[in-house]
Amino acid sequence: MVTTCSTERHDHHDVYAAQCPCRDVLDLLANKWSALAIGAMEEGPQRFGALQRRLEGISSKVLTATLRRLEERGFVDRTIYPAVPLHVEYELTDLGRSVAHPLGQLRIWVEDHIDEIA
């Protein structure tokens, strides 16, 4: 399917084209922390601490940056609850849920084939 690009940088969306903004989205989603964070949020809204515990090895700084990028691109919603102490939850948007399945399939493939990969 050929779609005229809304950026007007080229005629149609083509992830192989250097100027296509699709590359930026692919870069975001192909990042291990983004893919894992999206997977962790498939179960429903998550607090920051719960996400950090689930994503073993991620620093607070990297998780914050990852969640901000996902929120800026419309994959994640951030809700602040004005309680004491402050309570923040992150959850997938419809767009985030739509990409969760393909990323989940990739995670499954990696787990199934890791022993074959040198």
Side-chain angles (χ1 to χ4, degrees), residues 38-111:
I38 288 170
M41 286 183 275
E42 280 186 281
E43 300 165 4
Q46 301 285 320
R47 293 177 74 165
F48 186 90
L51 284 170
Q52 191 170 24
R53 284 187 298 278
R54 180 76 171 113
L55 305 178
E56 293 180 11
I58 193 169
S59 69
S60 294
K61 181 179 176 180
V62 171
L63 180 55
T64 297
T66 299
L67 291 169
R68 281 188 184 147
R69 284 193 308 270
L70 290 170
E71 183 182 9
E72 287 168 2
R73 289 298 191 142
F75 293 103
V76 170
D77 275 335
R78 177 177 179 254
T79 304
I80 302 170
Y81 296 93
V84 178
L86 192 65
H87 174 153
V88 178
E89 286 186 346
Y90 298 88
E91 81 179 295
L92 296 175
T93 62
D94 288 341
L95 184 63
R97 282 187 291 281
S98 74
V99 77
H101 180 72
L103 289 175
Q105 292 300 306
L106 180 58
R107 289 189 308 272
I108 290 168
W109 183 91
V110 169
E111 289 173 348

